[in-house]
Amino acid sequence: MSECLFCRIIAGEIPSTKVHETDTVYAFRDISPQSKVHVLVVPKTHHEDAAALAGHPELLADVVAAGAEVAGIEGIAESGYRFVFNTGDDACRTVFHAHLHVLGGEQLAGFGR
């Protein structure tokens, strides 16, 4: 997936600000943060979206566990945080590589319109 933005970030071809890394996931700061803390957790293997990632339950669990670790690293585990996967056009997905948004560090707005 040489044209996939996140695959290129994982490969080190595009710089990122690493927050956390394991054998299976890589977490880095979003370049357009939507909250004070906005970190993306991506599986190192390419899966188009959360629906595709659901077919790999151990990897999905690794992504979620890494998200919780990121919340601890960022100091938001106690105050609260939000996990978001965007899947499909109506969710405004812009990168076609499954990724978990970890959002927090401030009072977050509600969901919806």
Side-chain angles (χ1 to χ4, degrees):
M1 301 304 298
S2 63
E3 294 183 25
C4 171
L5 174 66
F6 289 169
C7 288
R8 294 183 66 204
I9 288 172
I10 293 163
E13 297 172 12
I14 296 174
S16 65
T17 303
K18 180 171 75 169
V19 174
H20 180 65
E21 183 174 15
T22 70
D23 290 341
T24 58
V25 302
Y26 183 73
F28 57 98
R29 297 201 186 288
D30 193 297
I31 62 169
S32 182
Q34 302 300 302
S35 61
K36 286 184 181 176
V37 173
H38 190 168
V39 175
L40 303 176
V41 181
V42 300
K44 289 184 175 180
T45 54
H46 185 89
H47 300 274
E48 183 172 321
D49 56 27
L53 189 57
H56 304 273
E58 290 181 6
L59 183 55
L60 178 58
D62 288 349
V63 170
V64 172
E69 182 69 21
V70 165
I73 291 166
E74 294 295 304
I76 61 172
E78 296 298 319
S79 60
Y81 53 92
R82 182 176 292 163
F83 285 167
V84 176
F85 282 104
N86 293 319
T87 300
D89 293 339
D90 284 352
C92 298
R93 175 182 55 170
T94 58
V95 177
F96 294 85
H97 184 126
H99 55 286
L100 174 70
H101 296 259
V102 181
L103 302 156
E106 62 185 308
Q107 180 66 54
L108 300 174
F111 277 104
R113 297 178 197 192

